[in-house]
PDB file of all heavy atoms in Angstrom:
ATOM      1  N   ARG A   1      11.539   4.363   3.931  1.00  0.00           N
ATOM      2  CA  ARG A   1      11.109   5.767   3.930  1.00  0.00           C
ATOM      3  C   ARG A   1       9.601   5.878   4.149  1.00  0.00           C
ATOM      4  O   ARG A   1       8.816   5.175   3.518  1.00  0.00           O
ATOM      5  CB  ARG A   1      11.495   6.400   2.590  1.00  0.00           C
ATOM      6  CG  ARG A   1      11.255   7.860   2.465  1.00  0.00           C
ATOM      7  CD  ARG A   1      11.774   8.373   1.148  1.00  0.00           C
ATOM      8  NE  ARG A   1      10.968   7.910   0.018  1.00  0.00           N
ATOM      9  CZ  ARG A   1       9.849   8.503  -0.425  1.00  0.00           C
ATOM     10  NH1 ARG A   1       9.395   9.593   0.200  1.00  0.00           N
ATOM     11  NH2 ARG A   1       9.210   8.046  -1.436  1.00  0.00           N
ATOM     12  N   ASN A   2       9.190   6.758   5.061  1.00  0.00           N
ATOM     13  CA  ASN A   2       7.768   6.985   5.343  1.00  0.00           C
ATOM     14  C   ASN A   2       6.987   5.721   5.701  1.00  0.00           C
ATOM     15  O   ASN A   2       5.824   5.597   5.403  1.00  0.00           O
ATOM     16  CB  ASN A   2       7.082   7.668   4.153  1.00  0.00           C
ATOM     17  CG  ASN A   2       7.553   9.083   3.903  1.00  0.00           C
ATOM     18  OD1 ASN A   2       8.034   9.736   4.827  1.00  0.00           O
ATOM     19  ND2 ASN A   2       7.458   9.550   2.690  1.00  0.00           N
ATOM     20  N   SER A   3       7.692   4.797   6.377  1.00  0.00           N
ATOM     21  CA  SER A   3       7.034   3.520   6.703  1.00  0.00           C
ATOM     22  C   SER A   3       5.869   3.723   7.674  1.00  0.00           C
ATOM     23  O   SER A   3       4.894   2.973   7.641  1.00  0.00           O
ATOM     24  CB  SER A   3       8.045   2.540   7.289  1.00  0.00           C
ATOM     25  OG  SER A   3       8.662   3.081   8.443  1.00  0.00           O
ATOM     26  N   ASN A   4       5.961   4.764   8.530  1.00  0.00           N
ATOM     27  CA  ASN A   4       4.859   4.993   9.478  1.00  0.00           C
ATOM     28  C   ASN A   4       3.558   5.326   8.771  1.00  0.00           C
ATOM     29  O   ASN A   4       2.492   4.845   9.162  1.00  0.00           O
ATOM     30  CB  ASN A   4       5.229   6.128  10.468  1.00  0.00           C
ATOM     31  CG  ASN A   4       6.261   5.695  11.461  1.00  0.00           C
ATOM     32  OD1 ASN A   4       6.467   4.494  11.666  1.00  0.00           O
ATOM     33  ND2 ASN A   4       6.941   6.640  12.080  1.00  0.00           N
ATOM     34  N   SER A   5       3.643   6.144   7.690  1.00  0.00           N
ATOM     35  CA  SER A   5       2.445   6.481   6.937  1.00  0.00           C
ATOM     36  C   SER A   5       1.822   5.225   6.303  1.00  0.00           C
ATOM     37  O   SER A   5       0.604   5.040   6.344  1.00  0.00           O
ATOM     38  CB  SER A   5       2.773   7.463   5.815  1.00  0.00           C
ATOM     39  OG  SER A   5       3.385   8.600   6.328  1.00  0.00           O
ATOM     40  N   MET A   6       2.661   4.370   5.749  1.00  0.00           N
ATOM     41  CA  MET A   6       2.160   3.156   5.132  1.00  0.00           C
ATOM     42  C   MET A   6       1.580   2.195   6.170  1.00  0.00           C
ATOM     43  O   MET A   6       0.541   1.575   5.940  1.00  0.00           O
ATOM     44  CB  MET A   6       3.285   2.436   4.344  1.00  0.00           C
ATOM     45  CG  MET A   6       3.665   3.153   3.078  1.00  0.00           C
ATOM     46  SD  MET A   6       4.754   2.158   2.028  1.00  0.00           S
ATOM     47  CE  MET A   6       6.252   2.165   2.999  1.00  0.00           C
ATOM     48  N   ARG A   7       2.229   2.116   7.334  1.00  0.00           N
ATOM     49  CA  ARG A   7       1.742   1.223   8.376  1.00  0.00           C
ATOM     50  C   ARG A   7       0.404   1.687   8.899  1.00  0.00           C
ATOM     51  O   ARG A   7      -0.519   0.856   9.135  1.00  0.00           O
ATOM     52  CB  ARG A   7       2.767   1.126   9.506  1.00  0.00           C
ATOM     53  CG  ARG A   7       2.623  -0.149  10.352  1.00  0.00           C
ATOM     54  CD  ARG A   7       3.761  -0.314  11.347  1.00  0.00           C
ATOM     55  NE  ARG A   7       5.026  -0.541  10.710  1.00  0.00           N
ATOM     56  CZ  ARG A   7       6.074   0.268  10.828  1.00  0.00           C
ATOM     57  NH1 ARG A   7       6.006   1.357  11.541  1.00  0.00           N
ATOM     58  NH2 ARG A   7       7.218  -0.028  10.241  1.00  0.00           N
ATOM     59  N   GLU A   8       0.248   3.012   9.067  1.00  0.00           N
ATOM     60  CA  GLU A   8      -1.057   3.534   9.471  1.00  0.00           C
ATOM     61  C   GLU A   8      -2.131   3.221   8.461  1.00  0.00           C
ATOM     62  O   GLU A   8      -3.258   2.849   8.812  1.00  0.00           O
ATOM     63  CB  GLU A   8      -0.955   5.057   9.681  1.00  0.00           C
ATOM     64  CG  GLU A   8      -0.302   5.446  10.997  1.00  0.00           C
ATOM     65  CD  GLU A   8      -0.026   6.956  11.054  1.00  0.00           C
ATOM     66  OE1 GLU A   8      -0.668   7.711  10.289  1.00  0.00           O
ATOM     67  OE2 GLU A   8       0.817   7.354  11.854  1.00  0.00           O
ATOM     68  N   PHE A   9      -1.812   3.365   7.169  1.00  0.00           N
ATOM     69  CA  PHE A   9      -2.757   3.056   6.100  1.00  0.00           C
ATOM     70  C   PHE A   9      -3.153   1.570   6.178  1.00  0.00           C
ATOM     71  O   PHE A   9      -4.341   1.236   6.068  1.00  0.00           O
ATOM     72  CB  PHE A   9      -2.142   3.364   4.735  1.00  0.00           C
ATOM     73  CG  PHE A   9      -3.017   2.928   3.573  1.00  0.00           C
ATOM     74  CD1 PHE A   9      -4.025   3.747   3.110  1.00  0.00           C
ATOM     75  CD2 PHE A   9      -2.810   1.691   2.966  1.00  0.00           C
ATOM     76  CE1 PHE A   9      -4.850   3.353   2.056  1.00  0.00           C
ATOM     77  CE2 PHE A   9      -3.628   1.286   1.930  1.00  0.00           C
ATOM     78  CZ  PHE A   9      -4.637   2.108   1.460  1.00  0.00           C
ATOM     79  N   LEU A  10      -2.167   0.680   6.368  1.00  0.00           N
ATOM     80  CA  LEU A  10      -2.455  -0.748   6.413  1.00  0.00           C
ATOM     81  C   LEU A  10      -3.287  -1.096   7.650  1.00  0.00           C
ATOM     82  O   LEU A  10      -4.168  -1.934   7.561  1.00  0.00           O
ATOM     83  CB  LEU A  10      -1.132  -1.534   6.426  1.00  0.00           C
ATOM     84  CG  LEU A  10      -0.347  -1.536   5.106  1.00  0.00           C
ATOM     85  CD1 LEU A  10       1.044  -2.071   5.319  1.00  0.00           C
ATOM     86  CD2 LEU A  10      -1.082  -2.362   4.049  1.00  0.00           C
ATOM     87  N   GLU A  11      -3.011  -0.427   8.776  1.00  0.00           N
ATOM     88  CA  GLU A  11      -3.798  -0.695  10.004  1.00  0.00           C
ATOM     89  C   GLU A  11      -5.264  -0.346   9.783  1.00  0.00           C
ATOM     90  O   GLU A  11      -6.144  -1.044  10.256  1.00  0.00           O
ATOM     91  CB  GLU A  11      -3.216   0.090  11.174  1.00  0.00           C
ATOM     92  CG  GLU A  11      -1.942  -0.531  11.743  1.00  0.00           C
ATOM     93  CD  GLU A  11      -1.251   0.393  12.745  1.00  0.00           C
ATOM     94  OE1 GLU A  11      -1.813   1.477  13.047  1.00  0.00           O
ATOM     95  OE2 GLU A  11      -0.142   0.037  13.206  1.00  0.00           O
ATOM     96  N   LYS A  12      -5.512   0.758   9.047  1.00  0.00           N
ATOM     97  CA  LYS A  12      -6.898   1.178   8.806  1.00  0.00           C
ATOM     98  C   LYS A  12      -7.592   0.296   7.779  1.00  0.00           C
ATOM     99  O   LYS A  12      -8.800   0.060   7.871  1.00  0.00           O
ATOM    100  CB  LYS A  12      -6.929   2.634   8.300  1.00  0.00           C
ATOM    101  CG  LYS A  12      -6.647   3.658   9.377  1.00  0.00           C
ATOM    102  CD  LYS A  12      -6.609   5.048   8.773  1.00  0.00           C
ATOM    103  CE  LYS A  12      -6.120   6.069   9.781  1.00  0.00           C
ATOM    104  NZ  LYS A  12      -5.815   7.379   9.153  1.00  0.00           N
ATOM    105  N   ASN A  13      -6.840  -0.185   6.787  1.00  0.00           N
ATOM    106  CA  ASN A  13      -7.492  -0.826   5.624  1.00  0.00           C
ATOM    107  C   ASN A  13      -7.284  -2.325   5.495  1.00  0.00           C
ATOM    108  O   ASN A  13      -7.856  -2.954   4.602  1.00  0.00           O
ATOM    109  CB  ASN A  13      -6.970  -0.169   4.332  1.00  0.00           C
ATOM    110  CG  ASN A  13      -7.398   1.280   4.222  1.00  0.00           C
ATOM    111  OD1 ASN A  13      -8.507   1.632   3.846  1.00  0.00           O
ATOM    112  ND2 ASN A  13      -6.482   2.181   4.576  1.00  0.00           N
ATOM    113  N   TYR A  14      -6.453  -2.912   6.402  1.00  0.00           N
ATOM    114  CA  TYR A  14      -6.170  -4.346   6.238  1.00  0.00           C
ATOM    115  C   TYR A  14      -7.375  -5.185   6.623  1.00  0.00           C
ATOM    116  O   TYR A  14      -8.015  -4.982   7.617  1.00  0.00           O
ATOM    117  CB  TYR A  14      -4.975  -4.763   7.119  1.00  0.00           C
ATOM    118  CG  TYR A  14      -4.676  -6.259   6.976  1.00  0.00           C
ATOM    119  CD1 TYR A  14      -3.917  -6.736   5.925  1.00  0.00           C
ATOM    120  CD2 TYR A  14      -5.233  -7.161   7.874  1.00  0.00           C
ATOM    121  CE1 TYR A  14      -3.695  -8.072   5.770  1.00  0.00           C
ATOM    122  CE2 TYR A  14      -4.987  -8.523   7.733  1.00  0.00           C
ATOM    123  CZ  TYR A  14      -4.218  -8.986   6.668  1.00  0.00           C
ATOM    124  OH  TYR A  14      -4.004 -10.314   6.519  1.00  0.00           O
ATOM    125  N   LYS A  15      -7.659  -6.158   5.783  1.00  0.00           N
ATOM    126  CA  LYS A  15      -8.557  -7.247   6.123  1.00  0.00           C
ATOM    127  C   LYS A  15      -8.100  -8.488   5.368  1.00  0.00           C
ATOM    128  O   LYS A  15      -7.347  -8.360   4.384  1.00  0.00           O
ATOM    129  CB  LYS A  15     -10.013  -6.896   5.806  1.00  0.00           C
ATOM    130  CG  LYS A  15     -10.300  -6.477   4.363  1.00  0.00           C
ATOM    131  CD  LYS A  15     -11.781  -6.126   4.216  1.00  0.00           C
ATOM    132  CE  LYS A  15     -12.133  -5.751   2.790  1.00  0.00           C
ATOM    133  NZ  LYS A  15     -11.568  -4.436   2.394  1.00  0.00           N
ATOM    134  N   GLU A  16      -8.534  -9.648   5.808  1.00  0.00           N
ATOM    135  CA  GLU A  16      -8.110 -10.879   5.137  1.00  0.00           C
ATOM    136  C   GLU A  16      -8.562 -10.849   3.690  1.00  0.00           C
ATOM    137  O   GLU A  16      -9.762 -10.747   3.394  1.00  0.00           O
ATOM    138  CB  GLU A  16      -8.739 -12.101   5.835  1.00  0.00           C
ATOM    139  CG  GLU A  16      -8.133 -12.407   7.189  1.00  0.00           C
ATOM    140  CD  GLU A  16      -6.774 -13.074   7.092  1.00  0.00           C
ATOM    141  OE1 GLU A  16      -6.460 -13.657   6.044  1.00  0.00           O
ATOM    142  OE2 GLU A  16      -5.985 -12.968   8.066  1.00  0.00           O
ATOM    143  N   THR A  17      -7.617 -10.884   2.764  1.00  0.00           N
ATOM    144  CA  THR A  17      -7.945 -10.812   1.344  1.00  0.00           C
ATOM    145  C   THR A  17      -7.268 -11.978   0.612  1.00  0.00           C
ATOM    146  O   THR A  17      -6.460 -12.697   1.190  1.00  0.00           O
ATOM    147  CB  THR A  17      -7.454  -9.480   0.697  1.00  0.00           C
ATOM    148  OG1 THR A  17      -6.034  -9.365   0.997  1.00  0.00           O
ATOM    149  CG2 THR A  17      -8.194  -8.293   1.252  1.00  0.00           C
ATOM    150  N   SER A  18      -7.616 -12.131  -0.649  1.00  0.00           N
ATOM    151  CA  SER A  18      -6.982 -13.158  -1.471  1.00  0.00           C
ATOM    152  C   SER A  18      -6.781 -12.614  -2.869  1.00  0.00           C
ATOM    153  O   SER A  18      -7.441 -11.651  -3.282  1.00  0.00           O
ATOM    154  CB  SER A  18      -7.836 -14.435  -1.501  1.00  0.00           C
ATOM    155  OG  SER A  18      -9.089 -14.138  -2.063  1.00  0.00           O
ATOM    156  N   GLY A  19      -5.837 -13.218  -3.593  1.00  0.00           N
ATOM    157  CA  GLY A  19      -5.648 -12.916  -5.015  1.00  0.00           C
ATOM    158  C   GLY A  19      -5.425 -11.432  -5.291  1.00  0.00           C
ATOM    159  O   GLY A  19      -4.606 -10.785  -4.667  1.00  0.00           O
ATOM    160  N   GLN A  20      -6.195 -10.916  -6.228  1.00  0.00           N
ATOM    161  CA  GLN A  20      -6.014  -9.551  -6.749  1.00  0.00           C
ATOM    162  C   GLN A  20      -6.221  -8.499  -5.667  1.00  0.00           C
ATOM    163  O   GLN A  20      -5.566  -7.464  -5.684  1.00  0.00           O
ATOM    164  CB  GLN A  20      -6.981  -9.331  -7.908  1.00  0.00           C
ATOM    165  CG  GLN A  20      -6.705  -8.068  -8.734  1.00  0.00           C
ATOM    166  CD  GLN A  20      -5.461  -8.153  -9.582  1.00  0.00           C
ATOM    167  OE1 GLN A  20      -4.854  -9.237  -9.670  1.00  0.00           O
ATOM    168  NE2 GLN A  20      -5.070  -7.084 -10.196  1.00  0.00           N
ATOM    169  N   GLU A  21      -7.116  -8.742  -4.703  1.00  0.00           N
ATOM    170  CA  GLU A  21      -7.366  -7.752  -3.659  1.00  0.00           C
ATOM    171  C   GLU A  21      -6.141  -7.543  -2.779  1.00  0.00           C
ATOM    172  O   GLU A  21      -5.873  -6.430  -2.326  1.00  0.00           O
ATOM    173  CB  GLU A  21      -8.576  -8.201  -2.782  1.00  0.00           C
ATOM    174  CG  GLU A  21      -9.911  -8.085  -3.494  1.00  0.00           C
ATOM    175  CD  GLU A  21     -10.220  -6.677  -3.973  1.00  0.00           C
ATOM    176  OE1 GLU A  21     -10.066  -5.733  -3.152  1.00  0.00           O
ATOM    177  OE2 GLU A  21     -10.544  -6.514  -5.135  1.00  0.00           O
ATOM    178  N   THR A  22      -5.360  -8.610  -2.549  1.00  0.00           N
ATOM    179  CA  THR A  22      -4.137  -8.478  -1.760  1.00  0.00           C
ATOM    180  C   THR A  22      -3.123  -7.595  -2.493  1.00  0.00           C
ATOM    181  O   THR A  22      -2.461  -6.743  -1.880  1.00  0.00           O
ATOM    182  CB  THR A  22      -3.530  -9.871  -1.501  1.00  0.00           C
ATOM    183  OG1 THR A  22      -4.548 -10.762  -1.026  1.00  0.00           O
ATOM    184  CG2 THR A  22      -2.411  -9.810  -0.465  1.00  0.00           C
ATOM    185  N   ILE A  23      -3.013  -7.811  -3.825  1.00  0.00           N
ATOM    186  CA  ILE A  23      -2.078  -7.011  -4.617  1.00  0.00           C
ATOM    187  C   ILE A  23      -2.491  -5.539  -4.592  1.00  0.00           C
ATOM    188  O   ILE A  23      -1.658  -4.654  -4.397  1.00  0.00           O
ATOM    189  CB  ILE A  23      -2.063  -7.518  -6.087  1.00  0.00           C
ATOM    190  CG1 ILE A  23      -1.636  -8.987  -6.131  1.00  0.00           C
ATOM    191  CG2 ILE A  23      -1.145  -6.659  -6.941  1.00  0.00           C
ATOM    192  CD1 ILE A  23      -1.786  -9.665  -7.475  1.00  0.00           C
ATOM    193  N   LYS A  24      -3.793  -5.275  -4.735  1.00  0.00           N
ATOM    194  CA  LYS A  24      -4.280  -3.884  -4.730  1.00  0.00           C
ATOM    195  C   LYS A  24      -4.005  -3.194  -3.410  1.00  0.00           C
ATOM    196  O   LYS A  24      -3.639  -2.023  -3.390  1.00  0.00           O
ATOM    197  CB  LYS A  24      -5.783  -3.856  -5.060  1.00  0.00           C
ATOM    198  CG  LYS A  24      -6.051  -3.934  -6.580  1.00  0.00           C
ATOM    199  CD  LYS A  24      -7.483  -4.234  -6.883  1.00  0.00           C
ATOM    200  CE  LYS A  24      -8.422  -3.105  -6.568  1.00  0.00           C
ATOM    201  NZ  LYS A  24      -9.813  -3.396  -7.026  1.00  0.00           N
ATOM    202  N   LEU A  25      -4.144  -3.917  -2.303  1.00  0.00           N
ATOM    203  CA  LEU A  25      -3.893  -3.327  -0.998  1.00  0.00           C
ATOM    204  C   LEU A  25      -2.420  -2.909  -0.863  1.00  0.00           C
ATOM    205  O   LEU A  25      -2.107  -1.816  -0.385  1.00  0.00           O
ATOM    206  CB  LEU A  25      -4.253  -4.303   0.122  1.00  0.00           C
ATOM    207  CG  LEU A  25      -4.052  -3.812   1.557  1.00  0.00           C
ATOM    208  CD1 LEU A  25      -4.881  -2.574   1.850  1.00  0.00           C
ATOM    209  CD2 LEU A  25      -4.356  -4.911   2.567  1.00  0.00           C
ATOM    210  N   ALA A  26      -1.507  -3.764  -1.335  1.00  0.00           N
ATOM    211  CA  ALA A  26      -0.069  -3.442  -1.273  1.00  0.00           C
ATOM    212  C   ALA A  26       0.239  -2.228  -2.169  1.00  0.00           C
ATOM    213  O   ALA A  26       1.001  -1.336  -1.764  1.00  0.00           O
ATOM    214  CB  ALA A  26       0.750  -4.646  -1.725  1.00  0.00           C
ATOM    215  N   VAL A  27      -0.331  -2.177  -3.370  1.00  0.00           N
ATOM    216  CA  VAL A  27      -0.096  -1.056  -4.270  1.00  0.00           C
ATOM    217  C   VAL A  27      -0.650   0.232  -3.680  1.00  0.00           C
ATOM    218  O   VAL A  27      -0.008   1.292  -3.704  1.00  0.00           O
ATOM    219  CB  VAL A  27      -0.704  -1.322  -5.653  1.00  0.00           C
ATOM    220  CG1 VAL A  27      -0.594  -0.099  -6.572  1.00  0.00           C
ATOM    221  CG2 VAL A  27      -0.018  -2.501  -6.331  1.00  0.00           C
ATOM    222  N   ARG A  28      -1.855   0.148  -3.094  1.00  0.00           N
ATOM    223  CA  ARG A  28      -2.472   1.341  -2.480  1.00  0.00           C
ATOM    224  C   ARG A  28      -1.581   1.881  -1.343  1.00  0.00           C
ATOM    225  O   ARG A  28      -1.441   3.091  -1.181  1.00  0.00           O
ATOM    226  CB  ARG A  28      -3.866   1.017  -1.980  1.00  0.00           C
ATOM    227  CG  ARG A  28      -4.908   0.975  -3.079  1.00  0.00           C
ATOM    228  CD  ARG A  28      -6.219   0.368  -2.593  1.00  0.00           C
ATOM    229  NE  ARG A  28      -6.828   1.154  -1.545  1.00  0.00           N
ATOM    230  CZ  ARG A  28      -7.674   0.669  -0.634  1.00  0.00           C
ATOM    231  NH1 ARG A  28      -8.011  -0.624  -0.661  1.00  0.00           N
ATOM    232  NH2 ARG A  28      -8.219   1.453   0.266  1.00  0.00           N
ATOM    233  N   ALA A  29      -1.016   0.964  -0.549  1.00  0.00           N
ATOM    234  CA  ALA A  29      -0.159   1.405   0.554  1.00  0.00           C
ATOM    235  C   ALA A  29       1.075   2.116   0.019  1.00  0.00           C
ATOM    236  O   ALA A  29       1.496   3.153   0.537  1.00  0.00           O
ATOM    237  CB  ALA A  29       0.267   0.173   1.398  1.00  0.00           C
ATOM    238  N   LEU A  30       1.693   1.559  -1.056  1.00  0.00           N
ATOM    239  CA  LEU A  30       2.871   2.219  -1.642  1.00  0.00           C
ATOM    240  C   LEU A  30       2.536   3.576  -2.245  1.00  0.00           C
ATOM    241  O   LEU A  30       3.322   4.508  -2.163  1.00  0.00           O
ATOM    242  CB  LEU A  30       3.485   1.322  -2.716  1.00  0.00           C
ATOM    243  CG  LEU A  30       4.520   0.291  -2.239  1.00  0.00           C
ATOM    244  CD1 LEU A  30       4.939  -0.617  -3.382  1.00  0.00           C
ATOM    245  CD2 LEU A  30       5.737   0.965  -1.633  1.00  0.00           C
ATOM    246  N   LEU A  31       1.350   3.675  -2.862  1.00  0.00           N
ATOM    247  CA  LEU A  31       0.971   4.940  -3.502  1.00  0.00           C
ATOM    248  C   LEU A  31       0.761   6.067  -2.481  1.00  0.00           C
ATOM    249  O   LEU A  31       0.748   7.243  -2.842  1.00  0.00           O
ATOM    250  CB  LEU A  31      -0.339   4.754  -4.310  1.00  0.00           C
ATOM    251  CG  LEU A  31      -0.179   3.954  -5.597  1.00  0.00           C
ATOM    252  CD1 LEU A  31      -1.547   3.709  -6.241  1.00  0.00           C
ATOM    253  CD2 LEU A  31       0.767   4.631  -6.587  1.00  0.00           C
ATOM    254  N   GLU A  32       0.655   5.697  -1.174  1.00  0.00           N
ATOM    255  CA  GLU A  32       0.555   6.692  -0.121  1.00  0.00           C
ATOM    256  C   GLU A  32       1.830   7.524  -0.045  1.00  0.00           C
ATOM    257  O   GLU A  32       1.826   8.694   0.362  1.00  0.00           O
ATOM    258  CB  GLU A  32       0.319   6.029   1.247  1.00  0.00           C
ATOM    259  CG  GLU A  32      -1.044   5.416   1.422  1.00  0.00           C
ATOM    260  CD  GLU A  32      -2.139   6.465   1.582  1.00  0.00           C
ATOM    261  OE1 GLU A  32      -2.058   7.264   2.535  1.00  0.00           O
ATOM    262  OE2 GLU A  32      -3.086   6.463   0.752  1.00  0.00           O
ATOM    263  N   VAL A  33       2.976   6.917  -0.408  1.00  0.00           N
ATOM    264  CA  VAL A  33       4.271   7.626  -0.225  1.00  0.00           C
ATOM    265  C   VAL A  33       5.062   7.759  -1.532  1.00  0.00           C
ATOM    266  O   VAL A  33       5.999   8.540  -1.596  1.00  0.00           O
ATOM    267  CB  VAL A  33       5.151   6.896   0.812  1.00  0.00           C
ATOM    268  CG1 VAL A  33       4.486   6.893   2.170  1.00  0.00           C
ATOM    269  CG2 VAL A  33       5.508   5.477   0.382  1.00  0.00           C
ATOM    270  N   VAL A  34       4.700   6.991  -2.552  1.00  0.00           N
ATOM    271  CA  VAL A  34       5.473   7.041  -3.815  1.00  0.00           C
ATOM    272  C   VAL A  34       4.803   8.006  -4.772  1.00  0.00           C
ATOM    273  O   VAL A  34       3.614   7.919  -5.037  1.00  0.00           O
ATOM    274  CB  VAL A  34       5.541   5.644  -4.460  1.00  0.00           C
ATOM    275  CG1 VAL A  34       6.241   5.709  -5.805  1.00  0.00           C
ATOM    276  CG2 VAL A  34       6.306   4.677  -3.522  1.00  0.00           C
ATOM    277  N   GLU A  35       5.614   8.915  -5.307  1.00  0.00           N
ATOM    278  CA  GLU A  35       5.071   9.853  -6.293  1.00  0.00           C
ATOM    279  C   GLU A  35       5.204   9.262  -7.696  1.00  0.00           C
ATOM    280  O   GLU A  35       5.934   8.329  -7.921  1.00  0.00           O
ATOM    281  CB  GLU A  35       5.853  11.180  -6.193  1.00  0.00           C
ATOM    282  CG  GLU A  35       5.625  11.900  -4.863  1.00  0.00           C
ATOM    283  CD  GLU A  35       6.643  12.996  -4.636  1.00  0.00           C
ATOM    284  OE1 GLU A  35       7.390  13.313  -5.584  1.00  0.00           O
ATOM    285  OE2 GLU A  35       6.686  13.541  -3.519  1.00  0.00           O
ATOM    286  N   SER A  36       4.485   9.836  -8.604  1.00  0.00           N
ATOM    287  CA  SER A  36       4.494   9.467 -10.033  1.00  0.00           C
ATOM    288  C   SER A  36       4.032   8.027 -10.295  1.00  0.00           C
ATOM    289  O   SER A  36       4.449   7.402 -11.259  1.00  0.00           O
ATOM    290  CB  SER A  36       5.862   9.714 -10.672  1.00  0.00           C
ATOM    291  OG  SER A  36       6.841   8.842 -10.157  1.00  0.00           O
ATOM    292  N   GLY A  37       3.171   7.525  -9.405  1.00  0.00           N
ATOM    293  CA  GLY A  37       2.408   6.303  -9.719  1.00  0.00           C
ATOM    294  C   GLY A  37       3.218   5.045  -9.960  1.00  0.00           C
ATOM    295  O   GLY A  37       4.271   4.804  -9.401  1.00  0.00           O
ATOM    296  N   GLY A  38       2.676   4.234 -10.917  1.00  0.00           N
ATOM    297  CA  GLY A  38       3.157   2.872 -11.101  1.00  0.00           C
ATOM    298  C   GLY A  38       4.572   2.738 -11.620  1.00  0.00           C
ATOM    299  O   GLY A  38       5.200   1.692 -11.385  1.00  0.00           O
ATOM    300  N   LYS A  39       5.105   3.742 -12.293  1.00  0.00           N
ATOM    301  CA  LYS A  39       6.443   3.550 -12.901  1.00  0.00           C
ATOM    302  C   LYS A  39       7.561   3.511 -11.864  1.00  0.00           C
ATOM    303  O   LYS A  39       8.658   3.068 -12.175  1.00  0.00           O
ATOM    304  CB  LYS A  39       6.734   4.625 -13.962  1.00  0.00           C
ATOM    305  CG  LYS A  39       6.843   6.017 -13.437  1.00  0.00           C
ATOM    306  CD  LYS A  39       7.160   6.996 -14.562  1.00  0.00           C
ATOM    307  CE  LYS A  39       7.333   8.410 -14.036  1.00  0.00           C
ATOM    308  NZ  LYS A  39       7.545   9.375 -15.111  1.00  0.00           N
ATOM    309  N   ASN A  40       7.288   3.956 -10.638  1.00  0.00           N
ATOM    310  CA  ASN A  40       8.306   3.898  -9.579  1.00  0.00           C
ATOM    311  C   ASN A  40       7.985   2.831  -8.532  1.00  0.00           C
ATOM    312  O   ASN A  40       8.405   2.920  -7.394  1.00  0.00           O
ATOM    313  CB  ASN A  40       8.430   5.270  -8.874  1.00  0.00           C
ATOM    314  CG  ASN A  40       9.208   6.255  -9.701  1.00  0.00           C
ATOM    315  OD1 ASN A  40       9.633   5.919 -10.802  1.00  0.00           O
ATOM    316  ND2 ASN A  40       9.384   7.437  -9.181  1.00  0.00           N
ATOM    317  N   ILE A  41       7.251   1.813  -8.965  1.00  0.00           N
ATOM    318  CA  ILE A  41       6.851   0.740  -8.050  1.00  0.00           C
ATOM    319  C   ILE A  41       7.285  -0.595  -8.646  1.00  0.00           C
ATOM    320  O   ILE A  41       7.138  -0.848  -9.830  1.00  0.00           O
ATOM    321  CB  ILE A  41       5.335   0.753  -7.814  1.00  0.00           C
ATOM    322  CG1 ILE A  41       4.912   1.956  -6.962  1.00  0.00           C
ATOM    323  CG2 ILE A  41       4.863  -0.525  -7.136  1.00  0.00           C
ATOM    324  CD1 ILE A  41       3.425   2.093  -6.780  1.00  0.00           C
ATOM    325  N   GLU A  42       7.814  -1.449  -7.782  1.00  0.00           N
ATOM    326  CA  GLU A  42       8.149  -2.836  -8.173  1.00  0.00           C
ATOM    327  C   GLU A  42       7.299  -3.777  -7.301  1.00  0.00           C
ATOM    328  O   GLU A  42       7.297  -3.640  -6.064  1.00  0.00           O
ATOM    329  CB  GLU A  42       9.638  -3.079  -7.941  1.00  0.00           C
ATOM    330  CG  GLU A  42      10.152  -4.408  -8.431  1.00  0.00           C
ATOM    331  CD  GLU A  42      11.643  -4.581  -8.131  1.00  0.00           C
ATOM    332  OE1 GLU A  42      12.373  -3.588  -8.192  1.00  0.00           O
ATOM    333  OE2 GLU A  42      12.048  -5.715  -7.847  1.00  0.00           O
ATOM    334  N   ILE A  43       6.550  -4.671  -7.917  1.00  0.00           N
ATOM    335  CA  ILE A  43       5.656  -5.569  -7.168  1.00  0.00           C
ATOM    336  C   ILE A  43       5.999  -7.019  -7.527  1.00  0.00           C
ATOM    337  O   ILE A  43       6.210  -7.349  -8.709  1.00  0.00           O
ATOM    338  CB  ILE A  43       4.175  -5.295  -7.520  1.00  0.00           C
ATOM    339  CG1 ILE A  43       3.760  -3.885  -7.145  1.00  0.00           C
ATOM    340  CG2 ILE A  43       3.261  -6.331  -6.839  1.00  0.00           C
ATOM    341  CD1 ILE A  43       3.605  -3.631  -5.665  1.00  0.00           C
TER     342      ILE A  43
END
């Protein structure tokens, strides 16, 4: 669902990352389309 919005976000914000920064990028991409924050996210 809404994969185009997430892909556009990743295209704008992706850079080679490691560790915690990689996790944050994935969470930020999901938060673009997921409502009510962390409780509806599985990482």
Side-chain angles (χ1 to χ4, degrees):
R1 186 176 70 86
N2 292 336
S3 58
N4 287 341
S5 304
M6 288 191 290
R7 203 173 293 118
E8 282 171 20
F9 174 84
L10 289 167
E11 283 170 5
K12 286 177 189 168
N13 295 279
Y14 179 83
K15 55 182 182 289
E16 288 285 338
T17 54
S18 61
Q20 192 71 7
E21 288 302 310
T22 312
I23 301 171
K24 277 166 70 174
L25 180 60
V27 173
R28 282 168 63 204
L30 272 174
L31 288 175
E32 290 288 301
V33 298
V34 175
E35 293 166 9
S36 68
K39 67 178 181 183
N40 283 1
I41 289 175
E42 185 181 326
I43 298 287

